[in-house]
Amino acid sequence: MLITLGGIVVLVTIYLMVKQYETRLVLFCAGMVLALCAGQPMAPFLAFSHAMKENKLFESIVSVMGFAMVMKLTQCDQHLIRYLVRGLKRVGPLLIPASVLVTFFINTSITSSAGCSAAVGAILIPLMLASGIHPAIAAAAIYVATYGAILNPGYAQVALVAEVAKVSNMDVVSNHFVAMLVSILIGAVSLFVVAVLLKEHKGYVLPADKRIQDDDFKINPIKAVVPLIPLTLLILGSTGLVPPFKQLAISHAMIIGAFFGFLVTWTSPQKISKEFWHGAGDAFGHVFGIIICALVFVEGLKAVGVIQAITDLMVGTPAIAKISSAFGPFILGIMCGSGDAAAVAFNRAVTPEAVRFGLTAMDMGSTAAIAGALGRSMSPIAGGMIICSAFAGCSPLDAAKRNAPGMILACISVLVLLLYK
């Protein structure tokens, strides 16, 4: 009876998230309802308190978001974007896969999918439209690539997988590095093929009032390098190329990057400090808030026995465990427009039991995180998709449909590379 009730609550939760009710509110309330039905009213509160004490996870997330806000304030992110765009202007229809790969690379530093969509889309989408590329393809090309953040060691999903698997963040990134590259190459090529088949790779005529106007923005190569400094420091340290850097935590690298932002731009230190902590606050309220509420939801599912039932089913049929760890978060990402909520719930509830399915927590956790992001990248209700579609002047659904083939193939590739190796 309780398991049936849990299934109903899960369906209602998904429905409310599809209707774009506030994610944290939906997850928290669903967890409370489940716990009350199971006669364990304190379980959600204990989960809430436990999540608030996740110091290691908290440190990584807030520092990354703080650094991103500093890059936005100093406009170093704009210099990087425009520097990369400069080489794309004369590649014709190949601008489609090139834009996908450039956005993916930029997203490793500008980790917010909506933020990256806004920053990159404002520049690359008009460029694609002016090159004759259809608006729906232009919007799709940007948003399809906004999961490159999973290659950033400080990204919330990476930090969560590392915590569950009890390994370092760099270990997680190294483990899924190849799978990520293969998936984005599949996404880029698939979108280009779709554009060619639909004859949307050229021939679009941009209305006169929307044509690109050259501005006086002068690219500074030094400023363009600054957003990449923290990631570079972490890679040099983790690989042992520069042994002293091995002691750097993710938060340390982000603070060093923010300091370089000050040195290169001479922006007011007071403004930099305010923006850094503004970003840190946003990270706690939005990203960490989802993680906390997802854990409350998971505790509710545990209380009514849903998690144990799913675990037992997976133990009995390992093939289901592998497939569900990819396509469960993938489908929820499409339906909810958020890859984080689906992946966090899965990684909190199921991934700790990975060894019982003959898998490692790191492989299973990365699969869920990447699959959730891939699903979100073809969701017509995702915030970033709506932003990109607004820039392009097309329907979010039209752009999402063009991303669908590539994201499905990419999800399959991630599943094979991480769980069938």
PDB file of all heavy atoms in Angstrom, residues 81 84-106 120 124 127-128 133 137-138 141-142 144-145 184-185 187-189 191-192:
ATOM      1  N   ILE A  81      34.524  34.524 -24.900  1.00  0.00           N
ATOM      2  CA  ILE A  81      33.510  34.150 -25.888  1.00  0.00           C
ATOM      3  C   ILE A  81      33.810  34.788 -27.236  1.00  0.00           C
ATOM      4  O   ILE A  81      33.817  34.121 -28.280  1.00  0.00           O
ATOM      5  CB  ILE A  81      32.101  34.564 -25.403  1.00  0.00           C
ATOM      6  CG1 ILE A  81      31.705  33.726 -24.180  1.00  0.00           C
ATOM      7  CG2 ILE A  81      31.077  34.395 -26.523  1.00  0.00           C
ATOM      8  CD1 ILE A  81      30.498  34.259 -23.446  1.00  0.00           C
ATOM      9  N   LEU A  84      36.820  33.324 -29.092  1.00  0.00           N
ATOM     10  CA  LEU A  84      36.535  32.049 -29.742  1.00  0.00           C
ATOM     11  C   LEU A  84      35.638  32.230 -30.966  1.00  0.00           C
ATOM     12  O   LEU A  84      35.787  31.537 -31.973  1.00  0.00           O
ATOM     13  CB  LEU A  84      35.866  31.102 -28.742  1.00  0.00           C
ATOM     14  CG  LEU A  84      36.747  30.647 -27.578  1.00  0.00           C
ATOM     15  CD1 LEU A  84      35.927  29.899 -26.539  1.00  0.00           C
ATOM     16  CD2 LEU A  84      37.894  29.766 -28.070  1.00  0.00           C
ATOM     17  N   VAL A  85      34.709  33.180 -30.870  1.00  0.00           N
ATOM     18  CA  VAL A  85      33.783  33.427 -31.980  1.00  0.00           C
ATOM     19  C   VAL A  85      34.503  33.978 -33.201  1.00  0.00           C
ATOM     20  O   VAL A  85      34.118  33.709 -34.340  1.00  0.00           O
ATOM     21  CB  VAL A  85      32.666  34.403 -31.528  1.00  0.00           C
ATOM     22  CG1 VAL A  85      31.898  34.961 -32.721  1.00  0.00           C
ATOM     23  CG2 VAL A  85      31.714  33.694 -30.581  1.00  0.00           C
ATOM     24  N   ARG A  86      35.559  34.735 -32.957  1.00  0.00           N
ATOM     25  CA  ARG A  86      36.271  35.407 -34.056  1.00  0.00           C
ATOM     26  C   ARG A  86      36.714  34.433 -35.142  1.00  0.00           C
ATOM     27  O   ARG A  86      36.725  34.768 -36.329  1.00  0.00           O
ATOM     28  CB  ARG A  86      37.492  36.156 -33.496  1.00  0.00           C
ATOM     29  CG  ARG A  86      38.137  37.104 -34.489  1.00  0.00           C
ATOM     30  CD  ARG A  86      39.127  38.013 -33.794  1.00  0.00           C
ATOM     31  NE  ARG A  86      40.225  37.271 -33.193  1.00  0.00           N
ATOM     32  CZ  ARG A  86      41.232  37.822 -32.535  1.00  0.00           C
ATOM     33  NH1 ARG A  86      41.260  39.137 -32.372  1.00  0.00           N
ATOM     34  NH2 ARG A  86      42.191  37.084 -32.024  1.00  0.00           N
ATOM     35  N   GLY A  87      37.044  33.213 -34.745  1.00  0.00           N
ATOM     36  CA  GLY A  87      37.501  32.244 -35.739  1.00  0.00           C
ATOM     37  C   GLY A  87      36.381  31.468 -36.406  1.00  0.00           C
ATOM     38  O   GLY A  87      36.637  30.612 -37.256  1.00  0.00           O
ATOM     39  N   LEU A  88      35.126  31.776 -36.025  1.00  0.00           N
ATOM     40  CA  LEU A  88      34.006  30.998 -36.549  1.00  0.00           C
ATOM     41  C   LEU A  88      33.258  31.685 -37.692  1.00  0.00           C
ATOM     42  O   LEU A  88      32.381  31.084 -38.303  1.00  0.00           O
ATOM     43  CB  LEU A  88      32.988  30.724 -35.417  1.00  0.00           C
ATOM     44  CG  LEU A  88      33.488  29.915 -34.227  1.00  0.00           C
ATOM     45  CD1 LEU A  88      32.381  29.795 -33.200  1.00  0.00           C
ATOM     46  CD2 LEU A  88      33.956  28.535 -34.659  1.00  0.00           C
ATOM     47  N   LYS A  89      33.602  32.912 -37.978  1.00  0.00           N
ATOM     48  CA  LYS A  89      32.780  33.712 -38.884  1.00  0.00           C
ATOM     49  C   LYS A  89      32.791  33.241 -40.328  1.00  0.00           C
ATOM     50  O   LYS A  89      31.890  33.557 -41.088  1.00  0.00           O
ATOM     51  CB  LYS A  89      33.215  35.180 -38.809  1.00  0.00           C
ATOM     52  CG  LYS A  89      32.895  35.827 -37.468  1.00  0.00           C
ATOM     53  CD  LYS A  89      33.255  37.307 -37.459  1.00  0.00           C
ATOM     54  CE  LYS A  89      32.857  37.950 -36.141  1.00  0.00           C
ATOM     55  NZ  LYS A  89      33.211  39.390 -36.089  1.00  0.00           N
ATOM     56  N   ARG A  90      33.793  32.493 -40.736  1.00  0.00           N
ATOM     57  CA  ARG A  90      33.908  32.147 -42.149  1.00  0.00           C
ATOM     58  C   ARG A  90      33.837  30.637 -42.408  1.00  0.00           C
ATOM     59  O   ARG A  90      34.347  30.170 -43.412  1.00  0.00           O
ATOM     60  CB  ARG A  90      35.221  32.702 -42.713  1.00  0.00           C
ATOM     61  CG  ARG A  90      35.284  34.223 -42.684  1.00  0.00           C
ATOM     62  CD  ARG A  90      36.611  34.736 -43.265  1.00  0.00           C
ATOM     63  NE  ARG A  90      36.663  36.183 -43.252  1.00  0.00           N
ATOM     64  CZ  ARG A  90      37.047  36.909 -42.223  1.00  0.00           C
ATOM     65  NH1 ARG A  90      37.417  36.315 -41.110  1.00  0.00           N
ATOM     66  NH2 ARG A  90      37.060  38.225 -42.293  1.00  0.00           N
ATOM     67  N   VAL A  91      33.216  29.903 -41.506  1.00  0.00           N
ATOM     68  CA  VAL A  91      33.191  28.452 -41.682  1.00  0.00           C
ATOM     69  C   VAL A  91      31.902  27.944 -42.319  1.00  0.00           C
ATOM     70  O   VAL A  91      31.718  26.739 -42.480  1.00  0.00           O
ATOM     71  CB  VAL A  91      33.429  27.723 -40.344  1.00  0.00           C
ATOM     72  CG1 VAL A  91      34.796  28.029 -39.793  1.00  0.00           C
ATOM     73  CG2 VAL A  91      32.344  28.083 -39.328  1.00  0.00           C
ATOM     74  N   GLY A  92      30.965  28.863 -42.671  1.00  0.00           N
ATOM     75  CA  GLY A  92      29.747  28.473 -43.373  1.00  0.00           C
ATOM     76  C   GLY A  92      28.870  27.561 -42.539  1.00  0.00           C
ATOM     77  O   GLY A  92      28.724  27.735 -41.323  1.00  0.00           O
ATOM     78  N   PRO A  93      28.254  26.535 -43.158  1.00  0.00           N
ATOM     79  CA  PRO A  93      27.360  25.622 -42.434  1.00  0.00           C
ATOM     80  C   PRO A  93      28.046  24.893 -41.281  1.00  0.00           C
ATOM     81  O   PRO A  93      27.388  24.461 -40.340  1.00  0.00           O
ATOM     82  CB  PRO A  93      26.918  24.635 -43.518  1.00  0.00           C
ATOM     83  CG  PRO A  93      27.052  25.389 -44.794  1.00  0.00           C
ATOM     84  CD  PRO A  93      28.272  26.259 -44.601  1.00  0.00           C
ATOM     85  N   LEU A  94      29.390  24.747 -41.373  1.00  0.00           N
ATOM     86  CA  LEU A  94      30.115  24.098 -40.272  1.00  0.00           C
ATOM     87  C   LEU A  94      30.069  24.931 -39.001  1.00  0.00           C
ATOM     88  O   LEU A  94      30.529  24.500 -37.949  1.00  0.00           O
ATOM     89  CB  LEU A  94      31.566  23.834 -40.681  1.00  0.00           C
ATOM     90  CG  LEU A  94      31.766  22.752 -41.753  1.00  0.00           C
ATOM     91  CD1 LEU A  94      33.246  22.639 -42.105  1.00  0.00           C
ATOM     92  CD2 LEU A  94      31.239  21.411 -41.260  1.00  0.00           C
ATOM     93  N   LEU A  95      29.498  26.121 -39.118  1.00  0.00           N
ATOM     94  CA  LEU A  95      29.302  26.961 -37.949  1.00  0.00           C
ATOM     95  C   LEU A  95      28.396  26.257 -36.929  1.00  0.00           C
ATOM     96  O   LEU A  95      28.493  26.510 -35.730  1.00  0.00           O
ATOM     97  CB  LEU A  95      28.677  28.300 -38.370  1.00  0.00           C
ATOM     98  CG  LEU A  95      28.450  29.352 -37.286  1.00  0.00           C
ATOM     99  CD1 LEU A  95      29.764  29.710 -36.602  1.00  0.00           C
ATOM    100  CD2 LEU A  95      27.817  30.603 -37.895  1.00  0.00           C
ATOM    101  N   ILE A  96      27.535  25.363 -37.397  1.00  0.00           N
ATOM    102  CA  ILE A  96      26.617  24.654 -36.488  1.00  0.00           C
ATOM    103  C   ILE A  96      27.389  23.770 -35.509  1.00  0.00           C
ATOM    104  O   ILE A  96      27.323  23.985 -34.292  1.00  0.00           O
ATOM    105  CB  ILE A  96      25.580  23.836 -37.287  1.00  0.00           C
ATOM    106  CG1 ILE A  96      24.700  24.772 -38.117  1.00  0.00           C
ATOM    107  CG2 ILE A  96      24.715  23.000 -36.331  1.00  0.00           C
ATOM    108  CD1 ILE A  96      23.844  24.049 -39.130  1.00  0.00           C
ATOM    109  N   PRO A  97      28.160  22.765 -35.988  1.00  0.00           N
ATOM    110  CA  PRO A  97      28.917  21.954 -35.018  1.00  0.00           C
ATOM    111  C   PRO A  97      29.982  22.758 -34.289  1.00  0.00           C
ATOM    112  O   PRO A  97      30.276  22.486 -33.116  1.00  0.00           O
ATOM    113  CB  PRO A  97      29.535  20.842 -35.883  1.00  0.00           C
ATOM    114  CG  PRO A  97      29.533  21.370 -37.269  1.00  0.00           C
ATOM    115  CD  PRO A  97      28.327  22.258 -37.368  1.00  0.00           C
ATOM    116  N   ALA A  98      30.561  23.760 -34.967  1.00  0.00           N
ATOM    117  CA  ALA A  98      31.587  24.586 -34.314  1.00  0.00           C
ATOM    118  C   ALA A  98      30.989  25.358 -33.142  1.00  0.00           C
ATOM    119  O   ALA A  98      31.611  25.462 -32.071  1.00  0.00           O
ATOM    120  CB  ALA A  98      32.200  25.548 -35.326  1.00  0.00           C
ATOM    121  N   SER A  99      29.779  25.873 -33.301  1.00  0.00           N
ATOM    122  CA  SER A  99      29.118  26.610 -32.217  1.00  0.00           C
ATOM    123  C   SER A  99      28.800  25.687 -31.053  1.00  0.00           C
ATOM    124  O   SER A  99      28.908  26.078 -29.885  1.00  0.00           O
ATOM    125  CB  SER A  99      27.831  27.258 -32.735  1.00  0.00           C
ATOM    126  OG  SER A  99      28.113  28.234 -33.710  1.00  0.00           O
ATOM    127  N   VAL A 100      28.411  24.454 -31.371  1.00  0.00           N
ATOM    128  CA  VAL A 100      28.138  23.466 -30.313  1.00  0.00           C
ATOM    129  C   VAL A 100      29.395  23.228 -29.479  1.00  0.00           C
ATOM    130  O   VAL A 100      29.359  23.275 -28.243  1.00  0.00           O
ATOM    131  CB  VAL A 100      27.647  22.133 -30.930  1.00  0.00           C
ATOM    132  CG1 VAL A 100      27.546  21.058 -29.841  1.00  0.00           C
ATOM    133  CG2 VAL A 100      26.301  22.314 -31.620  1.00  0.00           C
ATOM    134  N   LEU A 101      30.511  23.005 -30.156  1.00  0.00           N
ATOM    135  CA  LEU A 101      31.751  22.682 -29.444  1.00  0.00           C
ATOM    136  C   LEU A 101      32.280  23.880 -28.664  1.00  0.00           C
ATOM    137  O   LEU A 101      32.776  23.731 -27.537  1.00  0.00           O
ATOM    138  CB  LEU A 101      32.808  22.189 -30.443  1.00  0.00           C
ATOM    139  CG  LEU A 101      32.444  20.886 -31.176  1.00  0.00           C
ATOM    140  CD1 LEU A 101      33.522  20.536 -32.200  1.00  0.00           C
ATOM    141  CD2 LEU A 101      32.259  19.740 -30.193  1.00  0.00           C
ATOM    142  N   VAL A 102      32.165  25.078 -29.243  1.00  0.00           N
ATOM    143  CA  VAL A 102      32.618  26.283 -28.542  1.00  0.00           C
ATOM    144  C   VAL A 102      31.780  26.518 -27.286  1.00  0.00           C
ATOM    145  O   VAL A 102      32.303  26.836 -26.209  1.00  0.00           O
ATOM    146  CB  VAL A 102      32.569  27.513 -29.478  1.00  0.00           C
ATOM    147  CG1 VAL A 102      32.682  28.807 -28.681  1.00  0.00           C
ATOM    148  CG2 VAL A 102      33.685  27.438 -30.501  1.00  0.00           C
ATOM    149  N   THR A 103      30.467  26.375 -27.401  1.00  0.00           N
ATOM    150  CA  THR A 103      29.586  26.561 -26.243  1.00  0.00           C
ATOM    151  C   THR A 103      29.892  25.533 -25.157  1.00  0.00           C
ATOM    152  O   THR A 103      29.925  25.856 -23.963  1.00  0.00           O
ATOM    153  CB  THR A 103      28.110  26.447 -26.670  1.00  0.00           C
ATOM    154  OG1 THR A 103      27.849  27.376 -27.718  1.00  0.00           O
ATOM    155  CG2 THR A 103      27.185  26.727 -25.498  1.00  0.00           C
ATOM    156  N   PHE A 104      30.128  24.300 -25.562  1.00  0.00           N
ATOM    157  CA  PHE A 104      30.472  23.235 -24.625  1.00  0.00           C
ATOM    158  C   PHE A 104      31.743  23.602 -23.853  1.00  0.00           C
ATOM    159  O   PHE A 104      31.811  23.450 -22.624  1.00  0.00           O
ATOM    160  CB  PHE A 104      30.675  21.936 -25.403  1.00  0.00           C
ATOM    161  CG  PHE A 104      30.959  20.727 -24.547  1.00  0.00           C
ATOM    162  CD1 PHE A 104      29.930  20.057 -23.911  1.00  0.00           C
ATOM    163  CD2 PHE A 104      32.252  20.250 -24.413  1.00  0.00           C
ATOM    164  CE1 PHE A 104      30.183  18.929 -23.131  1.00  0.00           C
ATOM    165  CE2 PHE A 104      32.509  19.129 -23.637  1.00  0.00           C
ATOM    166  CZ  PHE A 104      31.479  18.468 -22.998  1.00  0.00           C
ATOM    167  N   PHE A 105      32.740  24.096 -24.567  1.00  0.00           N
ATOM    168  CA  PHE A 105      34.002  24.491 -23.949  1.00  0.00           C
ATOM    169  C   PHE A 105      33.790  25.658 -22.979  1.00  0.00           C
ATOM    170  O   PHE A 105      34.301  25.653 -21.851  1.00  0.00           O
ATOM    171  CB  PHE A 105      35.002  24.870 -25.039  1.00  0.00           C
ATOM    172  CG  PHE A 105      36.299  25.421 -24.532  1.00  0.00           C
ATOM    173  CD1 PHE A 105      37.201  24.617 -23.866  1.00  0.00           C
ATOM    174  CD2 PHE A 105      36.618  26.761 -24.706  1.00  0.00           C
ATOM    175  CE1 PHE A 105      38.391  25.122 -23.389  1.00  0.00           C
ATOM    176  CE2 PHE A 105      37.810  27.275 -24.235  1.00  0.00           C
ATOM    177  CZ  PHE A 105      38.700  26.455 -23.577  1.00  0.00           C
ATOM    178  N   ILE A 106      33.016  26.660 -23.400  1.00  0.00           N
ATOM    179  CA  ILE A 106      32.773  27.828 -22.552  1.00  0.00           C
ATOM    180  C   ILE A 106      31.996  27.441 -21.299  1.00  0.00           C
ATOM    181  O   ILE A 106      32.229  27.964 -20.209  1.00  0.00           O
ATOM    182  CB  ILE A 106      32.021  28.912 -23.347  1.00  0.00           C
ATOM    183  CG1 ILE A 106      32.940  29.498 -24.417  1.00  0.00           C
ATOM    184  CG2 ILE A 106      31.510  30.024 -22.427  1.00  0.00           C
ATOM    185  CD1 ILE A 106      32.250  30.425 -25.388  1.00  0.00           C
ATOM    186  N   VAL A 120      26.503  33.268 -24.310  1.00  0.00           N
ATOM    187  CA  VAL A 120      26.981  32.784 -25.606  1.00  0.00           C
ATOM    188  C   VAL A 120      25.930  32.987 -26.695  1.00  0.00           C
ATOM    189  O   VAL A 120      26.238  33.382 -27.812  1.00  0.00           O
ATOM    190  CB  VAL A 120      27.370  31.295 -25.522  1.00  0.00           C
ATOM    191  CG1 VAL A 120      27.880  30.794 -26.865  1.00  0.00           C
ATOM    192  CG2 VAL A 120      28.435  31.092 -24.450  1.00  0.00           C
ATOM    193  N   LEU A 124      26.510  34.194 -30.517  1.00  0.00           N
ATOM    194  CA  LEU A 124      26.579  33.168 -31.555  1.00  0.00           C
ATOM    195  C   LEU A 124      25.281  32.985 -32.341  1.00  0.00           C
ATOM    196  O   LEU A 124      25.312  32.700 -33.539  1.00  0.00           O
ATOM    197  CB  LEU A 124      26.983  31.829 -30.940  1.00  0.00           C
ATOM    198  CG  LEU A 124      28.470  31.630 -30.676  1.00  0.00           C
ATOM    199  CD1 LEU A 124      28.739  30.242 -30.110  1.00  0.00           C
ATOM    200  CD2 LEU A 124      29.281  31.811 -31.946  1.00  0.00           C
ATOM    201  N   LEU A 127      24.984  35.458 -35.085  1.00  0.00           N
ATOM    202  CA  LEU A 127      26.009  35.127 -36.080  1.00  0.00           C
ATOM    203  C   LEU A 127      25.528  33.983 -36.977  1.00  0.00           C
ATOM    204  O   LEU A 127      25.692  34.029 -38.206  1.00  0.00           O
ATOM    205  CB  LEU A 127      27.305  34.732 -35.368  1.00  0.00           C
ATOM    206  CG  LEU A 127      28.476  34.273 -36.247  1.00  0.00           C
ATOM    207  CD1 LEU A 127      28.909  35.388 -37.173  1.00  0.00           C
ATOM    208  CD2 LEU A 127      29.639  33.809 -35.391  1.00  0.00           C
ATOM    209  N   MET A 128      24.907  32.968 -36.381  1.00  0.00           N
ATOM    210  CA  MET A 128      24.397  31.848 -37.174  1.00  0.00           C
ATOM    211  C   MET A 128      23.242  32.281 -38.078  1.00  0.00           C
ATOM    212  O   MET A 128      23.155  31.875 -39.238  1.00  0.00           O
ATOM    213  CB  MET A 128      23.958  30.705 -36.242  1.00  0.00           C
ATOM    214  CG  MET A 128      25.120  29.879 -35.710  1.00  0.00           C
ATOM    215  SD  MET A 128      24.581  28.403 -34.798  1.00  0.00           S
ATOM    216  CE  MET A 128      24.321  29.118 -33.179  1.00  0.00           C
ATOM    217  N   ILE A 133      21.619  30.216 -41.301  1.00  0.00           N
ATOM    218  CA  ILE A 133      21.175  29.027 -40.554  1.00  0.00           C
ATOM    219  C   ILE A 133      19.795  29.284 -39.959  1.00  0.00           C
ATOM    220  O   ILE A 133      19.521  30.371 -39.439  1.00  0.00           O
ATOM    221  CB  ILE A 133      22.195  28.680 -39.460  1.00  0.00           C
ATOM    222  CG1 ILE A 133      23.536  28.268 -40.108  1.00  0.00           C
ATOM    223  CG2 ILE A 133      21.691  27.565 -38.558  1.00  0.00           C
ATOM    224  CD1 ILE A 133      24.688  28.168 -39.138  1.00  0.00           C
ATOM    225  N   ILE A 137      17.595  25.740 -35.548  1.00  0.00           N
ATOM    226  CA  ILE A 137      18.904  25.080 -35.495  1.00  0.00           C
ATOM    227  C   ILE A 137      19.874  25.938 -34.690  1.00  0.00           C
ATOM    228  O   ILE A 137      20.666  25.418 -33.885  1.00  0.00           O
ATOM    229  CB  ILE A 137      19.461  24.836 -36.917  1.00  0.00           C
ATOM    230  CG1 ILE A 137      18.600  23.824 -37.664  1.00  0.00           C
ATOM    231  CG2 ILE A 137      20.908  24.367 -36.854  1.00  0.00           C
ATOM    232  CD1 ILE A 137      18.664  22.408 -37.121  1.00  0.00           C
ATOM    233  N   ALA A 138      19.818  27.240 -34.879  1.00  0.00           N
ATOM    234  CA  ALA A 138      20.721  28.157 -34.155  1.00  0.00           C
ATOM    235  C   ALA A 138      20.483  28.068 -32.651  1.00  0.00           C
ATOM    236  O   ALA A 138      21.435  27.991 -31.856  1.00  0.00           O
ATOM    237  CB  ALA A 138      20.514  29.587 -34.642  1.00  0.00           C
ATOM    238  N   ALA A 141      21.684  24.645 -31.344  1.00  0.00           N
ATOM    239  CA  ALA A 141      23.145  24.484 -31.329  1.00  0.00           C
ATOM    240  C   ALA A 141      23.768  25.024 -30.051  1.00  0.00           C
ATOM    241  O   ALA A 141      24.776  24.498 -29.568  1.00  0.00           O
ATOM    242  CB  ALA A 141      23.759  25.189 -32.544  1.00  0.00           C
ATOM    243  N   ILE A 142      23.172  26.064 -29.484  1.00  0.00           N
ATOM    244  CA  ILE A 142      23.718  26.623 -28.244  1.00  0.00           C
ATOM    245  C   ILE A 142      23.290  25.781 -27.046  1.00  0.00           C
ATOM    246  O   ILE A 142      24.113  25.332 -26.256  1.00  0.00           O
ATOM    247  CB  ILE A 142      23.248  28.085 -28.052  1.00  0.00           C
ATOM    248  CG1 ILE A 142      23.741  28.953 -29.221  1.00  0.00           C
ATOM    249  CG2 ILE A 142      23.774  28.637 -26.721  1.00  0.00           C
ATOM    250  CD1 ILE A 142      25.233  28.928 -29.440  1.00  0.00           C
ATOM    251  N   VAL A 144      22.130  22.771 -26.776  1.00  0.00           N
ATOM    252  CA  VAL A 144      22.508  21.356 -26.750  1.00  0.00           C
ATOM    253  C   VAL A 144      23.857  21.146 -26.063  1.00  0.00           C
ATOM    254  O   VAL A 144      24.146  20.052 -25.564  1.00  0.00           O
ATOM    255  CB  VAL A 144      22.554  20.789 -28.194  1.00  0.00           C
ATOM    256  CG1 VAL A 144      23.807  21.253 -28.923  1.00  0.00           C
ATOM    257  CG2 VAL A 144      22.487  19.268 -28.200  1.00  0.00           C
ATOM    258  N   ALA A 145      24.663  22.195 -26.003  1.00  0.00           N
ATOM    259  CA  ALA A 145      26.028  22.059 -25.482  1.00  0.00           C
ATOM    260  C   ALA A 145      26.185  22.533 -24.048  1.00  0.00           C
ATOM    261  O   ALA A 145      27.304  22.555 -23.529  1.00  0.00           O
ATOM    262  CB  ALA A 145      26.987  22.844 -26.384  1.00  0.00           C
ATOM    263  N   ILE A 184      29.320  14.830 -26.783  1.00  0.00           N
ATOM    264  CA  ILE A 184      29.141  16.148 -27.406  1.00  0.00           C
ATOM    265  C   ILE A 184      29.467  16.096 -28.894  1.00  0.00           C
ATOM    266  O   ILE A 184      28.857  16.804 -29.699  1.00  0.00           O
ATOM    267  CB  ILE A 184      29.988  17.238 -26.690  1.00  0.00           C
ATOM    268  CG1 ILE A 184      29.550  18.638 -27.143  1.00  0.00           C
ATOM    269  CG2 ILE A 184      31.462  17.049 -26.937  1.00  0.00           C
ATOM    270  CD1 ILE A 184      28.090  18.947 -26.886  1.00  0.00           C
ATOM    271  N   LEU A 185      30.412  15.250 -29.284  1.00  0.00           N
ATOM    272  CA  LEU A 185      30.693  15.080 -30.713  1.00  0.00           C
ATOM    273  C   LEU A 185      29.479  14.473 -31.423  1.00  0.00           C
ATOM    274  O   LEU A 185      29.120  14.896 -32.529  1.00  0.00           O
ATOM    275  CB  LEU A 185      31.922  14.196 -30.914  1.00  0.00           C
ATOM    276  CG  LEU A 185      33.270  14.841 -30.564  1.00  0.00           C
ATOM    277  CD1 LEU A 185      34.393  13.812 -30.630  1.00  0.00           C
ATOM    278  CD2 LEU A 185      33.569  16.012 -31.502  1.00  0.00           C
ATOM    279  N   GLY A 187      26.391  14.793 -30.408  1.00  0.00           N
ATOM    280  CA  GLY A 187      25.380  15.846 -30.428  1.00  0.00           C
ATOM    281  C   GLY A 187      25.619  16.859 -31.528  1.00  0.00           C
ATOM    282  O   GLY A 187      24.685  17.272 -32.230  1.00  0.00           O
ATOM    283  N   ALA A 188      26.884  17.265 -31.702  1.00  0.00           N
ATOM    284  CA  ALA A 188      27.225  18.266 -32.722  1.00  0.00           C
ATOM    285  C   ALA A 188      26.994  17.734 -34.128  1.00  0.00           C
ATOM    286  O   ALA A 188      26.390  18.398 -34.982  1.00  0.00           O
ATOM    287  CB  ALA A 188      28.686  18.697 -32.546  1.00  0.00           C
ATOM    288  N   VAL A 189      27.472  16.517 -34.381  1.00  0.00           N
ATOM    289  CA  VAL A 189      27.329  15.920 -35.715  1.00  0.00           C
ATOM    290  C   VAL A 189      25.863  15.631 -36.019  1.00  0.00           C
ATOM    291  O   VAL A 189      25.383  15.888 -37.136  1.00  0.00           O
ATOM    292  CB  VAL A 189      28.171  14.629 -35.820  1.00  0.00           C
ATOM    293  CG1 VAL A 189      27.884  13.916 -37.137  1.00  0.00           C
ATOM    294  CG2 VAL A 189      29.662  14.957 -35.716  1.00  0.00           C
ATOM    295  N   LEU A 191      23.173  17.137 -34.885  1.00  0.00           N
ATOM    296  CA  LEU A 191      22.444  18.370 -35.171  1.00  0.00           C
ATOM    297  C   LEU A 191      22.760  18.883 -36.573  1.00  0.00           C
ATOM    298  O   LEU A 191      21.871  19.367 -37.284  1.00  0.00           O
ATOM    299  CB  LEU A 191      22.781  19.438 -34.123  1.00  0.00           C
ATOM    300  CG  LEU A 191      22.016  20.755 -34.260  1.00  0.00           C
ATOM    301  CD1 LEU A 191      20.512  20.523 -34.135  1.00  0.00           C
ATOM    302  CD2 LEU A 191      22.477  21.762 -33.210  1.00  0.00           C
ATOM    303  N   PHE A 192      24.022  18.757 -36.980  1.00  0.00           N
ATOM    304  CA  PHE A 192      24.404  19.182 -38.326  1.00  0.00           C
ATOM    305  C   PHE A 192      23.694  18.330 -39.379  1.00  0.00           C
ATOM    306  O   PHE A 192      23.191  18.852 -40.386  1.00  0.00           O
ATOM    307  CB  PHE A 192      25.924  19.080 -38.500  1.00  0.00           C
ATOM    308  CG  PHE A 192      26.408  19.472 -39.858  1.00  0.00           C
ATOM    309  CD1 PHE A 192      26.321  20.780 -40.290  1.00  0.00           C
ATOM    310  CD2 PHE A 192      26.954  18.540 -40.718  1.00  0.00           C
ATOM    311  CE1 PHE A 192      26.761  21.159 -41.546  1.00  0.00           C
ATOM    312  CE2 PHE A 192      27.397  18.887 -41.977  1.00  0.00           C
ATOM    313  CZ  PHE A 192      27.300  20.209 -42.394  1.00  0.00           C
TER     314      PHE A 192
END
